Amino acid sequence: MKAMKVRAARWGNSVAVRLPRRAVEALGLEPGQDMDMELRGETLELTVRRRPEVTLDWIVSEIDRLGPAGEPETVDWGLDRGDEILHDRP
């Protein structure tokens, strides 16, 4: 991808750079996604942190890895009252 011009702008007490849509789409970036930033001389390098893909196989493997010690404590909240009661529907 060829170089793109961007401009630094004030954002509160910080300075922000808006990323062009073409770059965002090429990286598969989403708002709120974490990135790592490294300064090398006058070069600023941003690296996208990839979110792990959560699949059913991954969830099951984590349950197996944690074992019984990883199970949350069962809490008895007493009898159902009010809006949490689920009534049978016809």
Side-chain angles (χ1 to χ4, degrees), residues 19-85:
L19 300 176
R21 182 175 68 188
R22 193 172 64 180
V24 170
E25 289 172 352
L27 293 170
L29 204 66
E30 297 175 14
Q33 191 165 352
D34 289 330
M35 301 175 78
D36 292 319
M37 183 174 68
E38 190 171 337
L39 185 58
R40 296 181 183 175
E42 291 191 11
T43 300
L44 180 65
E45 183 178 292
L46 295 174
T47 305
V48 178
R49 285 190 186 176
R50 297 288 170 206
R51 293 181 179 151
E53 187 176 340
V54 177
T55 63
L56 182 57
D57 289 338
W58 179 82
I59 293 170
V60 170
S61 70
E62 282 296 292
I63 291 170
D64 291 342
R65 184 181 68 81
L66 294 172
E71 290 183 22
E73 179 183 335
T74 302
V75 176
D76 182 4
W77 295 96
L79 297 174
D80 292 340
R81 298 187 310 190
D83 291 339
E84 72 270 13
I85 298 174

